[in-house]
Each structure stands twice: as structure tokens, then as C-alpha cells.
């Protein structure tokens, strides 16, 4: 099994790029509305920035894996199309910024030459599938989860079930019970398990669903203590079909899967999942992990002459940034990338210098760093010297001094206050005032520019998110302080408590107060969250309360970190959900496009895909006619019910026994050729009738 097959081998990819170019042209000509076009480009990894006229491109790297050639390709792309900077994200993607919209098809085609995709990196889709960066080399893993993460990524890429859901879906695979991929905060979280069944070792996963952070964090629920690996993909597909049909679509803030489970309850949710089982294309997806193209050590080669400038720093780096793999005789080394930003020139410098001594498998980590694999012990000093020369040899990876932060107000539309500026200052506080804490990997600091938790502040020991405050009629940047979040293990997590809000400029004093108090009052070998639990939320509120006093503000308090002028709230329209304004003509056009896709799929023998496209056409057509009557449904199942109420019960349309039953045949039938063709014809007939009804209605209005 190849982990990164070049997508250009697939003509669908080439057509995808051509289609994007065509849609950009139609958009510029005014033939496609901005709202419709936003949905289309987001599904292709193209995200509007805070700065008008330019785009952020999100490059989708399943489980964070890059070959050295892929890494090199991304650097060239950033040089040619962006700002020569690579931004590593908390979901193991790479983002580049300030890209011209017209150049995105050409850029995409160049990425695809090395098997790199941007498809479904944004929008209401299955986002990047993440995994523990140590997968495959983790001494504590029951088995390598990489083949399974890769299979899930490929199965749902362009899958019609997951193209236009009410909201995004996030999936993670942890490598062990330590749960370093945070299964408890994902829509789907998997932890590998092994059971002995009939005398044989069987692989499976503990499966959790319905987790999420954002403004209202939810811990995921365990649905299986052990689900055999070949049943995992069918289960995920069943859940996605339910989410697509019953999930909220009008209120963006209530559209994640966690809210659907909260609304209907877990028992009903599981009942609906079972209803979908008959209709899915495959009931089992075996994954031959033994055929997996596993990472290989580099060939033995001499290293160039080198010197280490700071031997003491090397020892600290070796202690905090390296570990021995499960493959005896090899080590891995983490590279601490401040705020996830690394230039393309430094990247190329590292690629060429490290190529002889590391595996052709570099992982982007969930805390915005890099992991280098299969280093022989004798080559660790050389690796450090290369990183030292490039300015990336800082010790303290994943320690309190390794702060995670989203881009915040630098580029994001939703940013309220700076996250990158304050992160830099807090790291300086730790390295300058608490240098011994570079060895502390218990306390995690995470920062988001708003409440949406892209910086994962909701699961931090010490978290901050951007906010604002008012004083004497003026607005100043602020930080919401959260405490007590983190990983417990085996699918159990802690959501941080919101404790207090302070002016942003006092963020360093918040950190000083917390660390000094912990140093003085913490018990021997007590972890920070244990200390927090022992003292209680009120204790920390009182500890930090003096920092909320607004009577002593200075002019500098009204200037955000990294800025020169007074702060002003300027929140744009967020695009993570790909919200679109539904117009009747646009919806009918989408219904027609779904029919075309259905026809193509059926001709190719992809009957399940053809059926689902036909189902989508039914829904879009019904939604269009309801909107023409000023009736807007907020779920697909609601649209089916409303169509029966306003169009079938009133005699405007005739269905036996009703519209909902005809459409939901999708659940009652196996995806056979016979049913696919019959269902397509029914959808085609409905679309024709819907167009005729709308034409007649328009003529009556004009008359």
C-alpha cells in the first residue's frame, strides 16, 4: 500500500482543477454569486484572509506526513505563489498566505505532481485526518495506526456523503493509550487496541464520537471499547450519513456533530446509524497493514564535517527533543518551530543537510513542530548542528516553553486579538525568568485569537483566547484566561475552566503569578492540574483578580501585541463552515449538478455514489421550492417533512405514499445497479417537475 499515491494519476483530480479554473472565471464574470463561490473554493482548500483580495491555501497532509520531496515542493510553491513562509498548523496541515485566487488552479496542479492535495482542507467536509506524530515508531503503540489513518483519509476524499455537510468533521488516531492525538476533542477519535479472539491477535480501535472544542467544548462519548479495524470505515460512513441528513444547517454555531448528539440523545443517534447500514456501499473495509509501505531508515552515508557551538544547549536539546524509537538503535528528534512558522529557504537548507541521516518521512506535529525519524545515535550531534546553524535547535519541545498559537489577527477573519504576539512574549518570560521549565512537559500553554479554539486553548493547562474589554468608553484588547485542561489518557480529557479576563498587556503577569504561586504552594511531585484541582477555581480567580483593575491603565494597554496603533475590534466573516446564502436558482442549479454527478457515477458502476448524488438532488430541489415560498429548513430531514406539508399535502405535488418516503428509499435498499437506476430516474423526474413548477410560478408573478 502506498501512503502518498500521486493524485494526478486519477483523471478526476485533473478535472477538479479544470473545474476550479472555470468556476473562478464564471465568478469573476458575475455568473456565480460570491456566496456560492465561497462554498466551492473552501472545499478546495482556498480560504479568504482578513486582508481583502488574497487567499490562504491550506495544504492537506494526512496524519502530518511529508516526504522530503513533498516538503521541498511546498517550499517552491510558497516562493512562487505566496510569501516564502510555511505555517504548520495544529491539525498537521501546512498553510501558505497571500495567494492570488487566479493562480490557485496552477498552484494546485504543481502540488499534485508530488501527490499533495488541497482538496477538502476547508469547508463543510471531512478535514485532514490527524494522528500521533509518533505513529509507527512509538515504543508504546499496539500497532502502527498510519495505514488506517491513510485509508480513512482516502476513502472520504471526494466521497459524496461528505461534500456538503452542515459543518466540518475532524478525525484523529492516537498511537497509544496516552492519547496524544486527543481523541476526546474530535468528531471521531480512535485509540488502537489488541484483543485475543479464538486464539488470534485481532486489531481494533476504541472509538469515540461527538467531541469538539470551540466556544462550547464537548468531550467525546465512547461508542465502542473495541471495534475491529475492517468495520471502522463503514461505521464512520454510517455516522456521516446521519450527520448529513439530521445535522443543523442554518445556525452555524449549532451545526457540529456534538450538538446533534446533544439534541436527539445518544440512543436515538445510534438508532439512526443502524438505519443507514443497509445502504452503505461496503460493510467491511479490510486494510492490509502488512502491505503498508512502512518508513525505512536512511541508507548509511558519511556526514560532512560539523561543529557544535553550544555543547550545553546540545545536552538540553538531546534530553528534551529526542527519544528512542521502538525500532532499537534509532532515535527521533523533534524540531521546535516557534508559532509554526518556518521559511522556505530554511526548509530547503534543512532538507539538503538532513537528507543523508533521516528517514524520508517527516511529520508535522499537532503543536506546530516537526518530527525527524530514524536517526542513528552517532548522528544526533550532526542533526543538532544542522538545526543550530538554521536557528531551530531550541530545546524544550512540547514543554511549557513550547507555546501553541493560531494566526489570530495576523490573517484570520475571526481573530479578536493577537495570539502570535502574546505567545512570543510568554515564551520569553519562561526562557528568561523560568529557564528550568524547559524540562517541564506537564504544563501546556495554548493560545487562540478568538473563542473558537484553533489554538486549542480549551484543553490547555494554561490557556488564553482573544477577547476585548471596555474602559472609559474605549475598547482594549483582552485575554480570557483558562486553567486545568489536558489529557488524562485512553480517551479521557479535561476541558479547561474559564477563570478570569484581563487586559492583553497583562498576560505576562498572569503567567508570572501562576508559575510563582505553583512554585511556592505546589506539593512535591504535584502536577499542575492536580494543584489546580486542589486549590480550586475560586482560588485562582482571587489570585489573578488584581490584574483586572482598569483604573491603572496606560496608553500602552490600548495597543495590542505586535501592533503600533490603538486596538479596534474588526472581526470579519468566518469561513470555516463555508456558510452560503441559499438562492432558489442556485439551489436548482446544484440539484441539476448532483444529477449529472449521479449519472456519471452510475455509468461507472459506482452505484452507492450515484444514489447519494441523486438523494442530494432531491434535497436541493425541495429546498429550492420551499425557499421560493419563504420556508427555510434547517436540516435535510426537516426539508423532507416541510415539502410534504407545504407541497404534497396541498396537492401541488403528488407522491406515493409521500415525498419523504420516496427520498428515504436510500436507507431501505442495498446500493444495487437496479435501485440506483430507478432512484436516479425518480430524482430526474422530480427535478424536471420542480423546474416546471418554478417556471409556472415565475410566469404568474410576472403576469
Amino acid at each position: 500500500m502506498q501512503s502518498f499515491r500521486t493524485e494526478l494519476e486519477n483523471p478526476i483530480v485533473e478535472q477538479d482543477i479544470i473545474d476550479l479554473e472555470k468556476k473562478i472565471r464564471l465568478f469573476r464574470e458575475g455568473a456565480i454569486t460570491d456566496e456560492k463561490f465561497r462554498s466551492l473554493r473552501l472545499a478546495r482548500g482556498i480560504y479568504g484572509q482578513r486582508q481583502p483580495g488574497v487567499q490562504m491555501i491550506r495544504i492537506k497532509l494526512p496524519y502530518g506526513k511529508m516526504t522530503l520531496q513533498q516538503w521541498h515542493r511546498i517550499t517552491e510553491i510558497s516562493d512562487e505563489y505566496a510569501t516564502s513562509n510555511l505555517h504548520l498548523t495544529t491539525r498537521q496541515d501546512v498553510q501558505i498566505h497571500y495567494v492570488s485566487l487566479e493562480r490557485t488552479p496552477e498552484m494546485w496542479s504543481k502540488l499534485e505532481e508530488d501527490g499533495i492535495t488541497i482538496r477538502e482542507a476547508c469547508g463543510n467536509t471531512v478535514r485532514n485526518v490527524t494522528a500521533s506524530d509518533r505513529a509507527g515508531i512509538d515504543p508504546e503503540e499496539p500497532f502502527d495506526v498510519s495505514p488506517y489513518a491513510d485509508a480513512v483519509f482516502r476513502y472520504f476524499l471526494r466521497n459524496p456523503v461528505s461534500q456538503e455537510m452542515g459543518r466540518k468533521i475532524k478525525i484523529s488516531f492516537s498511537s497509544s493509550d496516552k492519547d496524544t492525538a486527543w481523541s476526546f476533542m474530535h468528531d471521531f477519535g480512535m485509540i488502537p487496541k489488541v484483543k485475543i479472539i479464538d486464539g488470534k491477535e485481532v486489531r481494533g480501535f476504541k472509538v469515540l464520537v461527538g467531541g469538539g472544542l470551540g466556544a462550547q467544548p464537548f468531550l467525546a462519548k465512547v461508542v465502542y471499547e473495541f471495534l475491529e479495524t475492517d468495520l471502522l470505515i463503514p461505521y464512520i460512513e454510517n455516522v456521516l450519513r446521519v450527520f448529513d441528513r439530521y445535522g443543523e444547517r442554518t445556525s452555524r454555531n449549532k451545526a457540529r456533530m456534538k450538538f446533534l448528539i446533544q439534541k436527539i440523545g445518544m440512543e436515538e443517534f445510534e438508532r439512526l446509524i443502524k438505519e443507514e447500514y443497509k445502504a452503505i456501499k461496503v460493510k467491511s473495509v479490510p486494510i492490509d497493514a502488512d502491505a503498508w509501505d512502512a518508513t525505512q531508515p536512511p541508507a548509511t552515508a558519511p556526514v560532512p564535517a560539523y561543529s557544535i557551538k553550544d555543547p550545553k544547549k546540545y545536552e538540553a536539546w538531546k534530553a528534551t527533543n529526542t527519544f528512542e524509537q521502538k525500532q532499537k538503535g534509532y532515535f527521533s528528534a523533534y524540531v521546535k518551530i516557534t508559532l509554526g512558522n518556518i521559511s522556505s529557504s530554511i526548509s530547503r537548507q534543512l532538507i539538503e543537510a538532513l537528507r543523508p541521516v533521516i528517514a524520508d518521512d517527516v511529520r508535522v506535529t499537532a503543536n506546530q513542530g516537526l518530527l525527524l525519524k530514524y536517526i542513528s545515535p552517532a548522528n544526533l550531534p550532526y542533526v543538532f548542528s544542522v538545526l543550530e546553524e538554521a536557528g531551530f535547535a531550541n530545546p524544550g519541545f512540547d514543554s511549557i516553553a513550547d507555546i501553541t498559537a493560531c494566526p489570530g489577527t495576523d490573517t484570520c477573519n475571526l481573530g479578536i486579538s493577537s495570539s502570535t504576539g502574546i505567545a512570543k512574549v510568554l515564551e520569553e518570560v519562561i526562557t528568561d525568568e523560568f529557564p528550568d521549565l524547559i524540562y517541564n512537559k506537564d504544563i501546556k500553554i495554548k493560545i487562540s485569537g478568538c473563542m473558537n479554539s484553533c489554538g486549542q486553548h480549551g484543553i490547555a493547562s494554561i490557556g488564553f483566547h482573544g477577547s476585548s474589554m471596555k474602559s472609559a468608553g474605549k475598547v482594549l484588547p483582552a485575554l480570557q484566561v483558562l486553567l486545568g485542561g489536558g489529557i488524562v489518557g485512553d480517551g479521557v480529557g479535561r476541558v479547561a475552566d474559564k477563570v478570569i479576563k484581563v487586559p492583553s498587556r497583562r498576560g505576562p503577569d498572569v503567567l508570572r503569578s501562576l508559575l510563582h504561586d505553583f512554585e511556592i504552594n505546589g506539593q512535591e511531585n504535584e502536577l499542575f492540574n492536580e494543584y489546580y484541582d486542589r486549590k480550586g477555581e475560586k482560588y485562582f480567580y482571587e489570585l489573578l483578580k488584581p490584574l483586572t483593575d482598569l483604573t491603572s491603565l496606560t496608553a500602552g494597554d490600548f495597543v495590542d501585541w505586535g501592533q503600533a496603533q490603538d486596538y479596534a475590534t474588526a472581526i470579519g466573516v468566518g469561513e470555516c463552515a463555508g456558510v452560503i446564502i441559499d438562492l432558489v436558482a442556485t439551489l436548482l442549479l446544484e440539484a441539476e449538478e448532483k444529477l449529472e454527478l449521479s449519472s456519471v457515477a452510475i455509468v461507472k458502476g459506482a452505484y452507492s455514489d450515484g444514489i447519494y448524488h441523486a438523494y442530494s438532488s432531491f434535497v436541493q430541489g425541495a429546498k429550492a421550492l420551499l425557499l421560493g415560498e419563504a420556508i427555510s429548513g434547517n436540516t435535510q430531514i426537516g426539508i423532507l417533512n416541510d415539502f410534504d406539508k407545504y407541497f404534497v399535502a396541498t396537492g401541488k405535488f403528488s407522491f406515493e405514499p409521500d415525498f419523504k418516503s420516496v427520498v428515504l428509499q436510500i436507507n431501505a435498499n442495498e446500493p444495487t445497479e437496479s435501485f440506483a437506476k430507478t432512484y436516479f430516474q425518480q430524482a430526474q423526474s422530480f427535478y424536471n417537475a420542480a423546474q416546471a413548477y418554478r417556471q409556472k410560478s415565475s410566469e404568474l408573478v410576472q403576469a
Side-chain angles (χ1 to χ4, degrees):
M1 182 188 297
Q2 295 297 317
S3 58
F4 274 92
R5 179 179 57 81
T6 302
E7 278 212 306
L8 283 180
E9 294 172 10
N10 187 343
I12 296 174
V13 179
E14 185 177 357
Q15 185 57 48
D16 228 356
I17 296 170
I18 293 170
D19 185 55
L20 175 61
E21 193 169 29
K22 175 183 175 183
K23 294 293 174 64
I24 290 172
R25 186 179 71 252
L26 292 173
F27 168 66
R28 292 302 192 198
E29 293 171 355
I32 299 178
T33 65
D34 181 65
E35 293 79 12
K36 170 61 180 172
F37 183 69
R38 182 186 301 130
S39 176
L40 183 144
R41 64 174 166 76
L42 283 168
R44 287 150 180 83
I46 305 167
Y47 190 104
Q49 285 186 200
R50 192 180 190 93
Q51 297 79 9
V54 290
Q55 318 294 319
M56 176 272 282
I57 305 301
R58 184 174 291 149
I59 297 167
K60 198 173 184 181
L61 300 174
Y63 48 99
K65 179 181 177 180
M66 294 186 294
T67 65
L68 294 173
Q69 176 56 34
Q70 287 172 331
W71 187 6
H72 190 275
R73 170 71 66 176
I74 294 170
T75 69
E76 292 182 326
I77 291 296
S78 185
D79 280 346
E80 185 174 356
Y81 297 92
T83 59
S84 298
N85 182 67
L86 279 60
H87 177 70
L88 314 179
T89 79
T90 57
R91 292 205 53 76
Q92 299 175 291
D93 296 304
V94 173
Q95 293 177 178
I96 59 175
H97 294 83
Y98 296 92
V99 177
S100 166
L101 178 62
E102 274 70 20
R103 302 191 74 193
T104 53
E106 176 187 301
M107 183 211 70
W108 186 2
S109 67
K110 289 186 178 180
L111 283 170
E112 293 283 2
E113 290 176 17
D114 282 306
I116 308 167
T117 190
I118 61 176
R119 177 75 198 217
E120 294 153 46
C122 306
N124 300 328
T125 60
V126 172
R127 297 291 186 85
N128 196 25
V129 177
T130 63
S132 299
D133 52 60
R134 296 189 184 198
I137 59 173
D138 187 349
E140 300 182 59
E141 67 183 16
F143 55 85
D144 183 4
V145 300
S146 302
Y148 305 95
D150 191 79
V152 169
F153 160 72
R154 298 199 179 281
Y155 186 88
F156 290 104
L157 190 69
R158 295 183 179 83
N159 192 310
V161 173
S162 54
Q163 292 305 294
E164 297 172 1
M165 298 176 292
R167 209 56 159 84
K168 59 192 172 187
I169 289 290
K170 296 182 177 180
I171 300 174
S172 78
F173 285 80
S174 286
S175 61
S176 73
D177 286 357
K178 283 190 173 179
D179 200 13
T180 52
W182 308 311
S183 64
F184 56 87
M185 56 161 271
H186 284 79
D187 296 286
F188 296 90
M190 273 63 73
I191 301 172
K193 303 286 182 180
V194 171
K195 269 189 174 183
I196 303 300
I197 300 176
D198 297 329
K200 294 182 179 180
E201 186 179 274
V202 178
R203 292 179 175 184
F205 291 100
K206 183 174 187 175
V207 181
L208 297 90
V209 300
L213 294 179
Q216 298 182 58
F218 282 68
L219 294 175
K221 300 177 184 294
V222 177
V223 289
Y224 286 101
E225 288 291 344
F226 185 85
L227 180 67
E228 293 184 24
T229 56
D230 60 338
L231 301 179
L232 179 62
I233 286 176
Y235 175 74
I236 294 174
E237 181 171 1
N238 278 334
V239 175
L240 292 181
R241 290 167 73 99
V242 170
F243 177 61
D244 194 32
R245 189 165 299 123
Y246 291 88
E248 172 68 39
R249 289 174 180 269
T250 302
S251 175
R252 175 173 176 257
N253 293 329
K254 293 289 184 181
R256 292 295 297 274
M257 189 161 69
K258 60 187 179 182
F259 293 113
L260 173 61
I261 294 173
Q262 181 190 46
K263 178 182 177 181
I264 67 176
M266 200 64 196
E267 185 177 343
E268 175 65 6
F269 185 66
E270 291 181 323
R271 185 190 70 79
L272 292 172
I273 291 168
K274 289 176 182 176
E275 277 190 356
E276 298 291 333
Y277 184 76
K278 189 172 186 179
I280 62 172
K281 66 178 78 174
V282 284
K283 308 301 188 287
S284 173
V285 181
I287 297 161
D288 187 0
D290 293 334
W292 175 249
D293 187 15
T295 303
Q296 298 298 317
T300 302
V303 300
Y306 67 92
S307 63
I308 291 176
K309 300 173 185 175
D310 189 340
K312 186 177 179 181
K313 189 176 182 180
Y314 168 67
E315 293 302 326
W317 174 85
K318 187 177 177 181
T320 61
N321 291 38
T322 71
F323 67 93
E324 187 174 8
Q325 300 179 185
K326 73 177 185 182
Q327 295 83 5
K328 298 302 179 183
Y330 289 102
F331 281 75
S332 284
Y334 284 111
V335 185
K336 184 174 178 287
I337 309 291
T338 302
L339 301 176
N341 292 317
I342 182 170
S343 72
S344 55
S345 60
I346 291 293
S347 292
R348 285 193 292 273
Q349 179 181 326
L350 294 180
I351 291 166
E352 293 312 308
L354 294 173
R355 188 186 298 275
V357 297
I358 65 172
D360 191 21
D361 178 351
V362 176
R363 301 287 170 105
V364 177
T365 69
N367 66 340
Q368 302 173 291
L370 295 171
L371 177 63
L372 314 175
K373 302 162 71 173
Y374 283 94
I375 305 167
S376 71
N379 286 336
L380 282 174
Y382 171 73
V383 170
F384 175 81
S385 72
V386 170
L387 296 173
E388 186 179 42
E389 182 68 27
F392 283 89
N394 287 334
F397 181 88
D398 202 31
S399 72
I400 186 175
D402 191 2
I403 296 175
T404 299
C406 71
T409 49
D410 291 356
T411 55
C412 180
N413 275 320
L414 293 177
I416 298 174
S417 65
S418 173
S419 48
T420 57
I422 181 64
K424 291 175 183 176
V425 175
L426 294 184
E427 284 201 0
E428 290 171 2
V429 168
I430 294 164
T431 54
D432 294 346
E433 302 175 33
F434 303 89
D436 290 344
L437 288 183
I438 65 164
Y439 298 97
N440 183 307
K441 297 200 174 188
D442 165 47
I443 302 173
K444 311 295 184 189
I445 300 176
K446 298 176 184 287
I447 307 171
S448 301
C450 72
M451 65 184 70
N452 286 316
S453 209
C454 293
Q456 301 172 341
H457 63 263
I459 56 168
S461 316
I462 301 172
F464 301 91
H465 80 65
S467 188
S468 62
M469 303 173 81
K470 283 188 177 181
S471 177
K474 292 181 67 179
V475 181
L476 66 151
L479 292 169
Q480 174 68 55
V481 182
L482 301 93
L483 300 173
I487 302 171
V488 177
D490 199 23
V492 179
R494 294 170 54 114
V495 174
D497 295 326
K498 289 185 177 181
V499 175
I500 202 165
K501 187 194 292 188
V502 302
S504 287
R505 288 286 174 174
R506 296 177 185 173
D509 289 329
V510 168
L511 185 57
R512 291 186 183 99
S513 297
L514 291 170
L515 296 182
H516 280 308
D517 195 77
F518 183 40
E519 187 177 49
I520 295 168
N521 297 313
Q523 298 175 354
E524 187 176 359
N525 298 322
E526 187 174 36
L527 300 178
F528 183 83
N529 281 349
E530 293 171 346
Y531 164 67
Y532 173 75
D533 291 342
R534 179 167 61 84
K535 289 289 190 177
E537 181 182 340
K538 187 176 180 182
Y539 173 86
F540 291 93
Y541 174 82
E542 294 296 336
L543 175 69
L544 300 175
K545 188 175 179 181
L547 297 175
T548 66
D549 179 15
L550 302 184
T551 61
S552 58
L553 293 174
T554 66
D557 289 310
F558 292 88
V559 180
D560 205 358
W561 294 103
Q563 303 299 315
Q565 299 179 344
D566 279 3
Y567 172 80
T569 52
I571 305 171
V573 178
E575 296 195 325
C576 285
V579 181
I580 64 172
I581 297 173
D582 293 319
L583 305 173
V584 175
T586 300
L587 286 169
L588 285 173
L589 176 61
E590 289 178 356
E592 183 180 22
E593 289 177 346
K594 295 297 182 186
L595 281 174
E596 292 172 0
L597 291 170
S598 177
S599 177
V600 170
I602 291 170
V603 168
K604 291 180 178 179
Y607 302 124
S608 181
D609 289 356
I611 291 166
Y612 209 87
H613 284 310
Y615 162 78
S616 297
S617 179
F618 268 123
V619 173
Q620 295 294 74
K623 188 175 183 179
L625 296 189
L626 285 165
L627 188 62
E629 304 290 329
I631 302 161
S632 56
N634 63 341
T635 65
Q636 289 185 346
I637 199 69
I639 289 168
L640 303 185
N641 288 329
D642 283 345
F643 194 84
D644 275 326
K645 179 179 179 180
Y646 294 103
F647 284 89
V648 178
T650 57
K652 296 175 182 176
F653 278 75
S654 177
F655 286 92
E656 288 296 335
D658 51 45
F659 181 68
K660 179 180 176 181
S661 297
V662 170
V663 177
L664 292 186
Q665 289 179 93
I666 188 174
N667 286 345
N669 291 271
E670 296 278 352
T672 62
E673 178 182 5
S674 174
F675 175 66
K677 290 180 176 179
T678 299
Y679 194 65
F680 170 80
Q681 288 299 327
Q682 292 171 327
Q684 177 76 66
S685 297
F686 173 64
Y687 170 76
N688 292 338
Q691 281 285 27
Y693 179 87
R694 181 170 182 262
Q695 180 65 31
K696 184 177 179 181
S697 298
S698 299
E699 290 171 356
L700 289 173
V701 170
Q702 292 172 1

